[in-house]
């Protein structure tokens, strides 16, 4: 502030403060006397500029902290713009980093579709963009153009310059990119596609020599992850959800499920955790609940067409598949898929075999259904089927070496693992791995414990197997497999509750 000497206001009887309404001013005056102020969603947008004007830096900082705590894929771009206007440098950087880290969810929102051309270019050209595959960036460009097609069509080539097409799988380039009308009708975009095709035709050593911004893999900041264990049997269906922090080796309880649920399918898709079907203690259900990690709350979405418990659930090409299961009277061969874009379930081709207690996994664009129980023949299965979404067909692949119902199935570096499970009363600790390239199964090291109906997930190159039961009691222990050493190690800390038939997903640790 200026010193007393040259402040004309100090001599004036009446001072007019523009741009601050009476209510906000009275809040700020209260703050000056009490050093207390409540920042809310309703008042933060007027409070922050007013605090800046009156140089109340603590209040301004409180507002920035509040906005940072509210960051969410649906609002981070708006907060970023607000921070930019009011030169809140730290908040601007935090909101920008948040948008990059949650890009697959951010690109679905109204804020992204309303960005200017330069803002979209700046976002999608960032090396720090966190995307599981460059497909997301391509899809984002197409939806931004289509949102206001007439006025935006001319920007297609400018945007495609920042999409790293050479890093996309060959079949995606041929089936999706080349078929896209916006690409077909633009010569520059066709050149980018040819560049990507050429890149795929080169031998690996020549590819590595190319110094082109489009062939450079993105290097996102890896966010710390947490593992979420949803519901389960302990010994009846429960609502409890636990969360494991890998960095701190600690379990915490988080928001409970809206109702009891075990034997459900649990997956992570588009920034949320989905709990699909299952058993609530008395009925097999069709319902689906979705967890938002930022808000720590569950909400319900469209129900499946069929009741399913002990189903397999997996995500492939932005669709959530619910595979087989048990409807209360019979094992199911049917399979349905859910699109979060339309909030609808639809049937796809059924499997060749009825499978309840089935494990599923996705490798290289194909969905695998592993083992399970066939009620019709009353036996545990060693057979495995593969679903190809392009042809909508199920075909058998090589059998496992042994029958496994209730096996924990997970995927690690392009291979499919089947852990434990049971054959009649015999509960297994053995583990086998399927290599799609050679269509063969091979044994790896046994787990420390016999487990069936356990949850499985892969994190940072390790495969985690969570809970389950050993034939007589529910397990609270978790163990993980390291493929480099071919060893299983128990986590030092157990869950608070022994649970079998729980679902597991991995999400980014929220701020």
């Amino acid at each position: 502030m200026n010193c007393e000497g040259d402040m004309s206001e100090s001599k004036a009887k009446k001072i007019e403060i523009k741009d601050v309404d009476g209510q906000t001013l009275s809040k700020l005056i209260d703050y000056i006397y009490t050093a207390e102020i409540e920042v809310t969603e309703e008042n933060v947008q007027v409070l922050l500029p007013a605090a800046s004007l009156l140089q109340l830096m603590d209040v301004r900082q409180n507002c920035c902290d509040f906005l940072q705590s509210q960051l969410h894929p649906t609002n981070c771009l708006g907060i970023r713009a607000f921070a930019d206007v009011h030169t809140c440098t730290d908040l601007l950087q935090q909101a920008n980093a948040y948008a990059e880290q949650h890009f697959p969810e951010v690109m679905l929102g109204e804020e992204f579709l309303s960005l200017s051309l330069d803002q979209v270019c700046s976002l999608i050209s960032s090396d720090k963009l966190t995307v599981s595959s460059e497909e997301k960036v391509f899809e984002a460009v197409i939806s931004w153009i289509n949102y206001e097609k007439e006025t935006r069509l001319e920007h297609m080539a400018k945007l495609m310059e920042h999409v790293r097409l050479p890093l996309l799988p060959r079949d995606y380039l041929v089936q999706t990119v080349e078929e896209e009308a916006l690409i077909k009708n633009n010569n520059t975009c066709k050149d980018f596609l040819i560049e990507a095709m050429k890149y795929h035709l080169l031998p690996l050593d020549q590819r590595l020599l190319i110094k082109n911004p489009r062939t450079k893999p993105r290097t996102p900041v890896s966010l710390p992850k947490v593992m979420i264990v949803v519901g389960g049997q302990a010994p009846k269906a429960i609502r409890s959800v636990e969360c494991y922090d890998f960095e701190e080796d600690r379990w915490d309880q988080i928001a409970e499920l809206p109702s009891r649920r075990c034997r459900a399918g649990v997956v992570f898709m588009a920034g949320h955790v989905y709990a699909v079907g299952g058993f609530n203690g008395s009925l097999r259900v069709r319902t689906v609940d979705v967890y938002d990690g930022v808000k720590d709350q569950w909400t319900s979405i469209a129900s499946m067409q069929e009741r399913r418990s002990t189903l397999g659930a997996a995500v492939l090409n932005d669709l959530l598949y619910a595979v087989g299961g048990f409807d209360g009277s019979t094992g199911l061969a049917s399979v349905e898929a859910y699109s979060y874009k339309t909030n609808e379930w639809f049937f796809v081709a059924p499997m060749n075999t009825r499978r309840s207690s089935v494990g599923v996994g996705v490798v290289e664009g194909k969905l695998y259904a592993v083992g399970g129980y066939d009620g019709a023949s009353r036996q545990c299965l060693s057979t495995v089927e593969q679903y190809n979404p392009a042809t909508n067909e199920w075909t058998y692949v090589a059998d496992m070496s042994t029958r496994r119902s209730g096996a924990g199935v997970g995927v690690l570096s392009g291979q499919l693992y089947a852990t434990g499970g049971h054959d009649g009363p015999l509960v297994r600790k053995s583990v086998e791995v399927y290599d799609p390239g050679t269509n063969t199964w091979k044994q790896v090291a046994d787990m420390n414990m016999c487990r069936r109906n356990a949850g499985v997930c892969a994190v940072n190159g390790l495969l985690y197997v969570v809970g389950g039961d050993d034939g007589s009691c529910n397990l609270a222990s978790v163990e993980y497999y390291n493929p480099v050493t071919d060893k299983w190690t128990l986590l030092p800390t157990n869950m608070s509750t022994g649970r079998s038939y729980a679902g597991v997903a991995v999400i980014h640790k929220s701020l």
Side-chain angles (χ1 to χ4, degrees):
M1 263 186 171
N2 303 348
C3 44
E4 184 86 45
D6 53 6
M7 274 182 73
S8 55
E9 289 94 335
S10 62
K11 300 183 182 63
K13 289 207 170 61
K14 179 177 170 190
I15 300 165
E16 189 179 344
I17 299 177
K18 295 192 174 70
D19 304 328
V20 182
D21 65 89
Q23 205 180 356
T24 307
L25 188 59
S26 104
K27 260 201 164 57
L28 290 169
I29 290 168
D30 287 347
Y31 168 77
I32 293 167
Y33 284 106
T34 63
E36 282 177 19
I37 195 157
E38 190 192 359
V39 183
T40 64
E41 265 178 76
E42 287 66 46
N43 70 19
V44 68
Q45 295 200 339
V46 288
L47 211 48
L48 190 143
S52 302
L53 184 73
L54 299 170
Q55 300 201 10
L56 294 170
M57 290 312 168
D58 289 358
V59 178
R60 183 180 145 100
Q61 189 56 50
N62 281 350
C63 292
C64 289
D65 292 346
F66 174 78
L67 286 170
Q68 192 205 329
S69 74
Q70 297 295 302
L71 284 170
H72 189 266
T74 55
N75 68 19
C76 58
L77 294 173
I79 290 177
R80 183 180 78 165
F82 182 73
D84 197 16
V85 169
H86 298 292
T87 57
C88 306
T89 325
D90 285 353
L91 181 61
L92 176 64
Q93 286 170 347
Q94 286 155 347
N96 192 57
Y98 187 93
E100 291 175 344
Q101 287 162 354
H102 296 80
F103 183 75
E105 297 93 73
V106 171
M107 63 174 259
L108 303 171
E110 200 67 28
E111 286 190 345
F112 173 77
L113 296 169
S114 309
L115 290 178
S116 70
L117 172 67
D118 288 346
Q119 288 170 323
V120 177
C121 286
S122 146
L123 191 56
I124 65 171
S125 61
S126 163
D127 274 347
K128 297 279 172 270
L129 210 60
T130 304
V131 282
S132 54
S133 134
E134 200 66 17
E135 291 171 24
K136 291 279 171 234
V137 189
F138 177 72
E139 285 169 20
V141 166
I142 300 301
S143 43
W144 186 84
I145 296 274
N146 282 333
Y147 188 66
E148 285 177 12
K149 203 163 174 180
E150 283 68 38
T151 53
R152 292 179 176 179
L153 199 53
E154 57 179 321
H155 304 315
M156 188 64 190
K158 177 114 177 69
L159 285 166
M160 286 306 294
E161 193 182 323
H162 304 294
V163 181
R164 305 182 185 187
L165 287 182
L167 304 181
L168 283 165
R170 208 179 308 194
D171 49 359
Y172 187 86
L173 288 171
V174 176
Q175 290 161 10
T176 308
V177 180
E178 195 181 16
E179 293 304 311
E180 172 57 58
L182 295 172
I183 298 277
K184 280 186 169 163
N185 302 323
N186 186 308
N187 285 335
T188 314
C189 292
K190 277 199 262 188
D191 290 342
F192 288 134
L193 180 60
I194 291 167
E195 170 189 78
M197 298 290 207
K198 277 185 179 165
Y199 182 78
H200 275 275
L201 293 171
L202 291 174
L204 190 60
D205 50 353
Q206 287 179 318
R207 280 189 209 177
L208 297 173
L209 295 172
I210 297 177
K211 293 281 177 273
N212 170 333
R214 281 178 294 283
T215 61
K216 181 182 172 210
R218 297 185 191 265
T219 49
V221 180
S222 67
L223 285 176
K225 297 185 171 76
V226 291
M227 176 164 70
I228 290 191
V229 184
V230 179
Q233 256 172 245
K236 291 201 175 103
I238 54 174
R239 290 177 54 194
S240 142
V241 181
E242 296 194 52
C243 168
Y244 180 71
D245 187 319
F246 293 97
E247 289 180 328
E248 298 175 26
D249 179 36
R250 195 183 74 226
W251 290 94
D252 294 303
Q253 297 287 332
I254 53 175
E256 290 196 320
L257 285 160
S259 55
R260 299 166 177 272
R261 200 187 279 270
C262 63
R263 310 179 199 172
V266 172
V267 298
F268 176 77
M269 174 172 75
H272 294 84
V273 175
Y274 290 71
V276 181
F279 182 63
N280 65 11
S282 49
L283 290 171
R284 276 81 196 170
V285 298
R286 303 188 300 132
T287 57
V288 183
D289 291 322
V290 182
Y291 177 72
D292 181 327
V294 180
K295 296 180 176 159
D296 187 32
Q297 71 186 33
W298 291 87
T299 48
S300 296
I301 54 161
S303 290
M304 292 183 290
Q305 317 255 10
E306 293 202 69
R307 299 174 181 278
R308 299 174 190 271
S309 76
T310 69
L311 65 152
V315 177
L316 175 56
N317 302 337
D318 269 353
L319 293 174
L320 161 49
Y321 286 84
V323 178
F326 181 70
D327 66 5
S329 56
T330 175
L332 303 169
S334 68
V335 180
E336 44 190 307
Y338 170 78
S339 161
Y340 62 82
K341 293 170 183 169
T342 59
N343 188 29
E344 281 174 327
W345 287 92
F346 55 93
F347 282 107
V348 297
M351 295 179 288
N352 297 298
T353 317
R354 296 171 183 270
R355 295 176 193 268
S356 59
S357 291
V358 61
V360 297
V362 170
V363 185
E364 289 173 3
K366 308 284 196 300
L367 174 66
Y368 292 84
V370 178
Y373 178 76
D374 177 358
S377 64
R378 295 230 171 140
Q379 61 181 359
C380 299
L381 301 166
S382 59
T383 59
V384 181
E385 310 185 38
Q386 176 205 76
Y387 175 71
N388 181 345
T391 58
N392 188 29
E393 281 175 326
W394 287 91
T395 47
Y396 285 108
V397 296
D399 285 7
M400 293 181 286
S401 69
T402 181
R403 301 174 191 270
R404 294 177 194 269
S405 174
V409 172
V411 174
L412 207 51
S413 20
Q415 300 201 310
L416 189 71
Y417 286 73
T419 67
H422 67 108
D423 181 8
L426 173 70
V427 181
R428 303 190 181 282
K429 60 163 73 167
S430 66
V431 179
E432 47 190 310
V433 185
Y434 176 73
D435 180 344
T438 56
N439 186 29
T440 53
W441 287 90
K442 70 163 199 249
Q443 293 272 144
V444 294
D446 284 1
M447 294 185 288
N448 290 293
M449 328 270 270
C450 299
R451 296 175 194 267
R452 63 179 178 188
N453 310 320
V456 176
C457 65
V459 188
N460 303 333
L462 302 172
L463 190 76
Y464 287 78
V465 180
V466 180
D469 69 89
D470 60 10
S472 58
C473 66
N474 291 328
L475 304 168
S477 63
V478 176
E479 50 187 300
Y480 60 88
Y481 176 72
N482 182 338
V484 180
T485 57
D486 188 30
K487 277 206 171 74
W488 287 91
T489 310
L490 280 156
L491 272 191
T493 316
N494 283 356
M495 293 184 283
S496 69
T497 311
R499 42 178 112 203
S500 64
Y501 287 116
V504 181
V506 175
I507 65 171
H508 290 313
K509 189 170 172 176
S510 53
L511 298 167

